[in-house]
Amino acid sequence: MTGIPETHRSLDRERNPRPVLVGVAAVAALVLALAWIGYDPVETGHVAVCPPTAREVPAGDREDPGAPGVVCAISNTDTTTVEFAASAYNGGLLPVRITDVGLRGEIQQVFIVDEILMWPGNNQREDVDSDLVPFEPFRLAPGDERLVWVRASVPACEDAARDRVLLFRELPLRASVLGLPRDSQITLDPPVRVIVERC
């Protein structure tokens, strides 16, 4: 009586993934992760506002070729209120949600952020500061921009405990793309120099 010969085949070879496919998938995942880390669709928009009583003066740093040519300089001997703004622009292909502004509270014991304001809607370039509303998270579709306005105070010269010079080059933002958080910033152009001095 002849029986059917038993065939033993190892299933290990069939179950093991192919090394080439695993390598390609790992490289693709790494490239996507690096691209995502470097992806920042938030750019500086087309609107910037210097403090109303500021003067545009030479920046004074000629050793650095990347340094700005001028700054908006404001002193506590002229005013105790400082306001400046810049717009955030979505230059990417995906919607972006701006969730917070990183400039808050007291800075170096002389600059106090009183409130953060914004345009009530995107792309309101006609009258820059007419309808500002308190900041709350907002969505930027690709190609949209919205102004973010900082209102702060500094001590009068007779109340200043120390001399300080603060230079604001960027406005830090917290954003999210596809629900994933990321830090971003928009450039203040020209930068804002706040001078606090004692009488």
Side-chain angles (χ1 to χ4, degrees):
M1 173 170 159
T2 25
I4 301 174
E6 284 188 32
T7 309
H8 294 285
R9 230 173 36 182
S10 171
L11 297 177
D12 290 341
R13 180 176 285 171
E14 293 175 12
R15 289 185 184 154
N16 285 339
R18 296 187 178 133
V20 173
L21 289 178
V22 170
V24 168
V27 169
L30 180 63
V31 167
L32 284 173
L34 290 174
W36 178 254
I37 289 169
Y39 179 70
D40 186 6
V42 179
E43 301 174 5
T44 303
H46 302 92
V47 181
V49 178
C50 277
T53 56
R55 298 178 316 274
E56 285 195 11
V57 299
D61 189 1
R62 295 288 167 230
E63 295 177 14
D64 180 7
V70 296
V71 296
C72 294
I74 189 164
S75 171
N76 70 326
T77 57
D78 299 324
T79 183
T80 57
T81 301
V82 180
E83 297 187 42
F84 55 87
S87 60
Y89 174 78
N90 181 359
L93 300 173
L94 300 170
V96 176
R97 186 168 171 78
I98 306 296
T99 58
D100 200 8
V101 178
L103 198 60
R104 300 276 186 171
E106 188 177 56
I107 299 168
Q108 294 195 17
Q109 300 175 332
V110 295
F111 185 90
I112 299 167
V113 178
D114 297 319
E115 58 184 333
I116 304 291
L117 305 167
M118 66 179 190
W119 282 340
N122 295 342
N123 305 320
Q124 296 183 260
R125 295 184 192 148
E126 292 78 28
D127 195 1
V128 170
D129 63 346
S130 67
D131 294 323
L132 296 173
V133 298
F135 178 88
E136 59 183 41
F138 61 90
R139 182 180 180 272
L140 284 177
D144 281 356
E145 74 178 314
R146 188 177 295 202
L147 190 76
V148 178
W149 188 287
V150 176
R151 185 172 288 156
S153 56
V154 293
C157 65
E158 59 270 11
D159 298 327
R162 61 185 62 201
D163 294 342
R164 283 281 190 258
V165 176
L166 301 152
L167 182 64
F168 297 98
R169 293 177 184 265
E170 297 94 16
L171 193 55
L173 300 176
R174 190 73 174 148
S176 73
V177 180
L178 297 176
L180 298 172
R182 61 193 332 95
D183 291 319
S184 194
Q185 63 189 19
I186 50 177
T187 302
L188 296 171
D189 186 20
V192 176
R193 180 186 289 157
V194 179
I195 301 163
V196 177
E197 51 192 350
R198 293 169 288 183
C199 296

